[in-house]
Amino acid sequence: MKPYVMTALRNPLLWIVPAVLLPLLVAVGAVMTSRQVEVRASVWTQRSSLIDTPGVWLKVPAQTEADAFNERLGTESFQASILTAAGLDDRVQNGTWPGESSLASLLGKSALTKPLAGFFGGVSSGNVDSNHRRALDALKSSLKAVPQGDSLLYITYTGSDEATGIALVNGAVDVYQRETLGLSSADAQAVLDFYAKQVAEKQQVLEDQDANLRAFEAEHPAAVGSPRPPSEAQQLGQLQSIYNIRLSEYELAINRQGDAQVRAQAALTSSGADFQVVDPAHAPQGTTIKLRSAAMLTFVGIVFGVGLGGLLIVLRTWFDETVRRGEDVRRLLGLDLLAALPNLEKGGK
Amino acid sequence: MRPTLEETAVPAKPLTLLGKRAERPQETSAPALREHDPLFALVTSPTVRRALQPVAERLLGQTQGGVFCVASAEPGEGRTVVAATLSLMLSESTEKGVLLVDAHLRNPSVRALFGLPDSPGLAECLRGECRFLPAVSTVGGLRVLPAGRDESPARLFSTPAAKRLVEQLRDTCNLTLIDLPPLTSSSEAATLCDWSDGTIMVVRANSTRASTVLRAVEMIDRRKVVGVVLNRERQELPRWLERLL
């Protein structure tokens, strides 16, 4: 132990640099790289179903919408639409977004180390597919929908680039709103078609029944001043009852068609009244630092720095063959120590 | 206030075993100005003397005396300080004659250390330009043979006269210490070590690599290495930590 302590005292830079400066640099780097902005848009959602499906209201609308958004965020078409809406296509094409890591950039400069660059974030130049893939991954990891209460929804971006965050959040809300409204229109049309068919069928049935009734009356005209025979009166009564039933069915179908038309029209003309952006994405008030990741990186830096410093001290001690102390004379030279003179002077032979 | 050489040195005594009493070495008083020389201050430092005491006692324990080299692997390890301090201590502790020879002809420093006048030295003796005894100066009780001047020391020490001189030193002086040039940068150092009775290796702590010292030791007869004087050893750990570890 003593030789190592002496080596450490003799060569303080050997352990100070890695054990102190390295963690310090890592800490500063970690704080710098973990600075992140959070951009968010607030959306008011009040989803309604055009078809009365039992149980649809049992789920909280904001949670439903957040789940739907996050699920859709996993699809490449949705991601690509967001990139387009955010105006990032060109930047993705030329590799300036999400950008390569500085280490990858450094490694990419040498043909020898270029293959290694892929492990550290890839190299953008000349690899459009790779850039696109990385852009989609970056988008997926930075965007998220989080429910706030029953009807409020936050669409958030977490990353380092504020302007890109605003563009992405607004783009994502826009694309989602558009696609959601598209789905509502399709639903409304399907319902309208369904009731139109119902009305047509009921009308046909009613007309047939009306024709039957008329035919029976024509075949058995009622005599003036004398009642119908009982059998005819019974048959006519049955036909009229059936007609009345068909009529009420037809009217019910007409009513439902009318309701569907009103609700579909409301959905189409509401401009997303059930998905309203109440607070679009804007510049955040301040930046946040991921303290946990910074602390973790710093801790790793300390462990690595202390370990490296200790290793350097051990190696320096092992490979040091300088005669320093009396015991070194016997150990290194195999000679007797006659005397050890203390260090008293600065010069002299 | 460190003691000056005058204060620490015993009065000069004649080298009793020197052959011809008529040819007495020239007496040189220790110059008082030398006390400001940092190297000289080291030589007279009580701390250095205390540390070298066991070495001096070991050399004094040599019943037959002899010729001992103070060598190092590289320049700047502290040979001259060790050689000069040991010589002074020995000369103060014994009635036997003690001689310090500066054999580092390329970069001599003993003359400057003791403030000796510019006079013929070892090189002139080996070239036969002067006799041995007149070249020896006396500093207190210590006899000093400065290096002198020569352009090619290696050639000078490869002559029979050099070996004869070493034998003459062994015969005529009780104890001789030779301040050698660095072993790794001069061939004459190894030659002198081989002719001597023992070699004290001086190693500068925290500076010299073990492999360098071992390479130097391989150049001489390892059996003649008396031991190592570790110079400028630092107390690197606080005492409490030293005890703890």
Side-chain angles (χ1 to χ4, degrees):
Chain A
M1 186 66 186
K2 196 157 98 177
Y4 301 116
V5 174
M6 289 170 66
T7 304
L9 288 176
R10 215 177 288 126
N11 308 282
L13 286 181
L14 208 59
W15 57 270
I16 282 178
V17 170
V20 177
L21 287 184
L22 192 65
L24 203 64
L25 286 175
V26 170
V28 171
V31 168
M32 295 298 287
T33 54
S34 66
R35 285 170 67 88
Q36 293 201 319
V37 293
E38 186 178 281
V39 177
R40 83 177 168 216
S42 304
V43 174
W44 182 265
T45 177
Q46 191 64 56
R47 304 291 294 153
S48 61
S49 175
L50 293 172
I51 301 176
D52 300 334
T53 308
V56 73
W57 293 108
L58 295 179
K59 209 168 182 182
V60 178
Q63 182 67 56
T64 308
E65 211 64 58
D67 290 346
F69 180 91
N70 291 330
E71 190 178 342
R72 198 163 298 175
L73 198 57
T75 62
E76 287 192 15
S77 62
F78 187 61
Q79 294 165 0
S81 300
I82 294 174
L83 283 180
T84 305
L88 289 173
D89 280 343
D90 288 344
R91 292 178 62 191
V92 172
Q93 286 277 331
N94 60 32
T96 55
W97 194 85
E100 61 196 10
S101 68
S102 55
L103 181 58
S105 174
L106 190 69
L107 291 172
K109 287 178 181 171
S110 165
L112 194 65
T113 56
K114 199 166 184 175
L116 287 174
F119 293 107
F120 300 98
V123 179
S124 61
S125 54
N127 195 344
V128 177
D129 289 341
S130 170
N131 291 341
H132 191 68
R133 165 56 45 202
R134 290 175 56 240
L136 295 183
D137 289 343
L139 181 138
K140 187 181 173 185
S141 62
S142 60
L143 279 180
K144 188 170 55 173
V146 182
Q148 295 289 317
D150 286 349
S151 297
L152 190 61
L153 187 68
Y154 286 163
I155 308 293
T156 62
Y157 161 88
T158 308
S160 57
D161 191 350
E162 182 182 307
T164 304
I166 293 172
L168 279 176
V169 169
N170 287 333
V173 170
D174 186 45
V175 170
Y176 184 73
Q177 196 171 17
R178 223 176 327 118
E179 292 192 0
T180 303
L181 287 179
L183 285 177
S184 298
S185 303
D187 288 346
Q189 192 59 51
V191 172
L192 281 176
D193 290 347
F194 173 78
Y195 284 117
K197 191 177 176 186
Q198 287 278 307
V199 166
E201 285 176 359
K202 298 294 180 188
Q203 187 178 5
Q204 184 62 48
V205 171
L206 182 63
E207 285 174 359
D208 290 348
Q209 189 59 34
D210 183 56
N212 289 340
L213 189 59
R214 288 179 191 280
F216 183 83
E217 284 178 338
E219 194 176 331
H220 303 92
V224 178
S226 61
R228 289 181 181 272
S231 60
E232 280 184 22
Q234 188 181 1
Q235 284 185 13
L236 184 63
Q238 285 176 349
L239 288 172
Q240 281 179 335
S241 297
I242 292 171
Y243 177 83
N244 289 337
I245 291 170
R246 297 288 178 259
L247 181 63
S248 62
E249 286 176 351
Y250 173 71
E251 287 172 349
L252 182 62
I254 288 287
N255 288 338
R256 290 201 169 181
Q257 186 186 29
D259 287 347
Q261 275 176 334
V262 169
R263 287 158 71 178
Q265 188 64 30
L268 290 170
T269 58
S270 64
S271 298
D274 49 1
F275 191 87
Q276 285 182 323
V277 180
V278 293
D279 192 10
H282 52 76
Q285 297 296 318
T287 58
T288 57
I289 294 171
K290 282 205 243 172
L291 280 179
R292 192 169 172 187
S293 66
M296 183 64 80
L297 275 173
T298 306
F299 178 72
V300 170
I302 289 171
V303 170
F304 186 73
V306 168
L308 183 63
L311 181 68
L312 289 175
I313 292 293
V314 168
L315 290 177
R316 182 77 177 89
T317 307
W318 284 354
F319 291 103
D320 182 19
E321 57 155 8
T322 309
V323 183
R324 299 184 185 280
R325 297 169 61 84
E327 51 259 38
D328 293 341
V329 173
R330 166 58 64 185
R331 186 173 59 88
L332 297 172
L333 304 177
L335 297 172
D336 291 335
L337 177 69
L338 298 175
L341 308 186
N343 186 24
L344 294 176
E345 47 108 9
K346 293 179 189 277
K349 287 173 64 181
Chain B
M1 181 78 178
R2 291 193 178 118
T4 63
L5 185 60
E6 287 170 321
E7 292 166 348
T8 55
V10 295
K13 291 181 280 293
L15 291 176
T16 52
L17 294 182
L18 287 179
K20 299 179 180 179
R21 295 188 67 84
E23 294 181 336
R24 293 177 65 83
Q26 50 182 309
E27 295 285 341
T28 306
S29 61
L33 286 177
R34 302 301 305 160
E35 68 188 55
H36 298 297
D37 186 332
L39 207 58
F40 191 77
L42 267 182
V43 170
T44 56
S45 159
T47 309
V48 175
R49 284 170 168 249
R50 201 163 41 244
L52 285 175
Q53 189 62 35
V55 190
E57 287 171 1
R58 184 163 175 173
L59 291 179
L60 283 173
Q62 303 281 329
T63 51
Q64 297 176 340
V67 176
F68 291 91
C69 290
V70 180
S72 71
E74 293 179 324
E77 303 217 44
R79 280 184 325 277
T80 304
V81 168
V82 171
T85 310
L86 271 178
S87 306
L88 280 171
M89 291 171 67
L90 290 169
S91 69
E92 293 160 12
S93 308
T94 178
E95 293 294 320
K96 301 174 182 177
V98 179
L99 176 66
L100 172 63
V101 179
D102 187 359
H104 194 355
L105 301 188
R106 290 181 178 85
N107 188 15
S109 54
V110 170
R111 184 192 299 279
L113 178 66
F114 290 108
L116 300 177
D118 194 9
S119 59
L122 176 63
E124 287 76 12
C125 288
L126 291 177
R127 289 200 301 267
E129 294 170 6
C130 79
R131 301 190 63 180
F132 169 57
L133 275 177
V136 174
S137 301
T138 304
V139 179
L142 175 66
R143 314 298 177 197
V144 179
L145 177 59
R149 289 196 182 92
D150 194 88
E151 296 301 321
S152 53
R155 187 175 53 80
L156 198 62
F157 281 101
S158 63
T159 59
K163 189 168 187 181
R164 276 202 304 274
L165 179 66
V166 174
E167 287 167 356
Q168 187 183 355
L169 292 175
R170 186 177 290 117
D171 293 341
T172 55
C173 299
N174 280 340
L175 208 52
T176 302
L177 291 181
I178 304 177
D179 181 13
L180 291 183
L183 280 163
T184 54
S185 59
S186 59
S187 58
E188 65 269 25
T191 307
L192 284 170
C193 283
D194 289 341
W195 292 341
S196 69
D197 300 308
T199 299
I200 297 169
M201 288 294 296
V202 178
V203 175
R204 180 172 171 176
N206 300 301
S207 169
T208 313
R209 296 165 71 86
S211 58
T212 308
V213 181
L214 289 173
R215 199 167 69 243
V217 169
E218 282 172 9
M219 298 168 71
I220 59 178
D221 186 354
R222 190 184 179 96
R223 288 169 301 179
K224 286 190 177 178
V225 178
V226 180
V228 172
V229 173
L230 190 63
N231 188 28
R232 300 177 74 168
E233 186 189 35
R234 283 201 299 257
Q235 178 73 31
E236 291 179 294
L237 292 180
R239 292 194 189 285
W240 64 268
L241 186 57
E242 185 102 28
R243 278 197 299 273
L244 198 68
L245 295 172

